[in-house]
């Protein structure tokens, strides 16, 4: 019964030693958005203490529901990977597993080494999974650049970090209010006045 479970998001695995070198091209041929973990080449087998074979975890994002056997055949055919595939219950959990974000006992992997293709929106996906970290980054950006206008923030993100732009659009209300608050903060205005006076005194 499990074999015919249907889902539009399926997780799979393949090994470096058996996968084709052009595995990205092979995946692109399927025309289904996908995301892949970094090569997991530091995982230790708890039972034996030995290094596990280097492998990647991946997820397909189909437009429609697919069965276990349909996805399993794709992986065997394109990547020489194990036949076993699983429906994805939580994209957040899958992302954490990709880089072992929530598991300090396991070897950490670099977010920069996550790969994707066929139109998978990686920037958007990473922001969604790390929205708290990215929110902090936007606040730091506002403070460091002394932004008080929403337009300044949007232009900065557009030129420097399009991933942040997505989050700013998603949380426009919060960031607009934060900028308003900065602009009208009496302490900030007082500090600017003091700095300006200091500059004037320096010229005299």
């Amino acid at each position: 019964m499990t074999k015919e479970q249907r889902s539009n998001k399926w997780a799979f695995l393949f090994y470096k030693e058996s996968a084709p070198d052009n595995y990205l091209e092979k995946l692109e041929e399927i025309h289904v958005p996908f995301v892949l973990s970094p090569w997991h080449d530091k995982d230790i087998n708890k039972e034996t203490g030995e290094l596990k074979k280097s492998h990647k975890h991946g997820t397909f994002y189909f437009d429609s529901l697919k069965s276990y056997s349909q996805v399993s055949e794709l992986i065997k055919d394109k990547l020489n990977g194990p036949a076993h595939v699983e429906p994805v219950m939580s994209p957040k959990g899958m992302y954490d597993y990709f880089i072992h974000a929530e598991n300090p006992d396991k070897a950490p992997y670099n977010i920069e080494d996550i790969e994707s293709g066929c139109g998978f929106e990686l920037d958007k996906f990473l922001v969604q999974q790390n929205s708290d970290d990215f929110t902090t980054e936007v606040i730091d950006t506002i403070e460091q650049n002394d932004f008080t206008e929403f337009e300044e923030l949007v232009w900065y993100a557009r030129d420097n970090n399009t991933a942040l732009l997505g989050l700013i659009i998603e949380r426009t209300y919060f960031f607009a209010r934060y900028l308003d608050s900065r602009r009208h903060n009496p302490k900030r205005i007082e500090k600017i006045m003091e700095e300006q006076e200091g500059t004037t005194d320096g010229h005299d």
Side-chain angles (χ1 to χ4, degrees):
M1 185 65 189
T2 351
K3 296 251 184 277
E4 285 320 302
Q5 185 174 2
R6 297 170 75 78
S7 173
N8 64 342
K9 289 192 277 292
W10 284 94
F12 57 90
L13 173 83
F14 62 96
Y15 291 99
K16 196 168 196 172
E17 64 179 24
S18 52
D21 291 339
N22 63 341
Y23 63 89
L24 282 174
E25 285 172 38
K26 291 285 185 187
L27 285 168
E28 292 278 357
E29 287 169 9
I30 301 170
H31 303 299
V32 172
F34 65 88
V35 58
L36 302 174
S37 74
W39 283 112
H40 280 206
D41 50 11
K42 302 184 207 67
D43 290 4
I44 303 290
N45 183 321
K46 280 187 181 173
E47 290 172 21
T48 64
E50 292 175 358
L51 204 61
K52 289 184 183 177
K53 286 192 290 189
S54 182
H55 60 277
K56 271 184 185 282
H57 298 274
T59 303
F60 282 129
Y61 282 69
F62 293 97
D63 288 339
S64 57
L65 297 175
K66 300 293 177 193
S67 69
Y68 179 102
S69 47
Q70 284 175 300
V71 183
S72 179
E73 283 302 318
L74 277 178
I75 298 304
K76 281 193 294 184
D77 179 42
K78 297 289 183 185
L79 302 173
N80 302 322
H84 182 67
V85 294
E86 290 179 11
V88 174
M89 299 304 173
S90 158
K92 169 74 176 140
M94 178 200 69
Y95 163 77
D96 289 341
Y97 194 66
F98 272 14
I99 59 167
H100 293 162
E102 301 297 323
N103 199 329
D105 298 339
K106 291 189 172 183
Y109 293 104
N110 195 337
I111 195 172
E112 304 292 330
D113 295 329
I114 291 177
E115 297 178 300
S116 63
C118 281
F120 183 85
E121 296 179 292
L122 186 58
D123 280 356
K124 192 175 172 185
F125 173 75
L126 294 177
V127 168
Q128 284 167 348
Q129 308 319 315
N130 294 283
S131 57
D132 291 348
D133 292 348
F134 277 104
T135 300
T136 305
E137 194 176 326
V138 176
I139 291 170
D140 289 347
T141 298
I142 290 170
E143 294 297 332
Q144 286 159 8
N145 294 280
D146 197 23
F147 291 152
T148 53
E149 299 301 326
F150 191 67
E151 182 188 42
E152 292 175 311
L153 179 62
V154 169
W155 279 94
Y156 177 90
R158 195 196 78 158
D159 292 340
N160 296 282
N161 192 335
T162 49
L164 287 187
L165 184 60
L167 182 71
I168 291 162
I169 291 164
E170 207 173 278
R171 301 192 176 181
T172 295
Y173 180 77
F174 169 78
F175 290 119
R177 288 300 302 270
Y178 183 77
L179 288 159
D180 283 347
S181 173
R182 282 195 93 247
R183 192 185 314 118
H184 300 299
N185 184 339
K187 286 182 182 172
R188 186 181 158 278
I189 294 166
E190 199 178 299
K191 191 180 168 195
I192 290 170
M193 297 292 282
E194 282 172 9
E195 283 171 1
Q196 284 176 346
E197 280 171 21
T199 314
T200 317
D201 293 345
H203 284 312
D204 287 341

